[in-house]
Amino acid sequence: KGLSVPAGCRDPMYTAFQVTPVVDPVQGKLESLDFWENNLYLGTSTGELFLYHIEERKGPDGETIFQGFLENQKKVGPKRAVESIMSVEELGKLIVLCDGNVTIHDLGSLEPQSTVSAAKGANLVCTNKYGPLY
């Protein structure tokens, strides 16, 4: 059974955030995402990788408006889901897990840089950002 929400928490005064669309719908189902600085990376069920630049501005009434602009798009898998996306800012790289393959891409261009062949068949990727440099 689901969790019950106290009646007082349903009050808009207690809303922690507001859902605001910032990008157009993508082909397929959204499977993974990562955010770095003003860049939003999306991975889909059809093996597509999208890079959106998110801009923040003030509207005419002083409200904050976010808008996303498609910067780049790459096909990274043969009709398989992009299961995981992880940005590694210090190296300017994006780690992508798709169909059991781990590939390294450039953060801006999304161009593939290399494949981690030792990770063939992987189902999870992670980094240690607090230890020695990756």
Side-chain angles (χ1 to χ4, degrees):
K1 296 187 176 185
L3 297 172
S4 62
V5 178
C9 291
R10 293 186 194 118
D11 188 320
M13 183 174 135
Y14 297 102
T15 302
F17 59 89
Q18 179 179 344
V19 176
T20 305
V22 294
V23 298
D24 294 326
V26 295
Q27 182 85 17
K29 180 179 152 194
L30 181 63
E31 294 285 338
S32 55
L33 65 90
D34 196 8
F35 198 84
W36 169 66
E37 290 186 351
N38 288 4
N39 298 309
L40 174 64
Y41 299 90
L42 302 177
T44 69
S45 59
T46 58
E48 296 280 344
L49 186 60
F50 295 87
L51 166 57
Y52 287 90
H53 180 74
I54 307 299
E55 290 185 2
E56 177 182 353
R57 60 182 173 83
K58 293 292 182 188
D61 297 329
E63 75 278 15
T64 302
I65 298 172
F66 294 95
Q67 187 172 8
F69 300 94
L70 181 62
E71 294 285 319
N72 219 325
Q73 174 182 353
K74 290 283 181 203
K75 181 79 168 170
V76 295
K79 299 182 182 179
R80 299 284 188 175
V82 176
E83 301 164 60
S84 180
I85 303 171
M86 188 180 340
S87 59
V88 183
E89 308 86 27
E90 298 84 357
L91 300 176
K93 304 295 180 196
L94 192 68
I95 300 173
V96 176
L97 174 62
C98 181
D99 194 25
N101 297 305
V102 178
T103 54
I104 311 298
H105 298 258
D106 180 77
L107 271 177
S109 69
L110 301 182
E111 286 298 321
Q113 305 289 305
S114 64
T115 299
V116 183
S117 56
K120 181 86 173 147
N123 58 16
L124 180 67
V125 293
C126 63
T127 62
N128 179 4
K129 293 189 176 188
Y130 303 104
L133 189 57
Y134 307 100

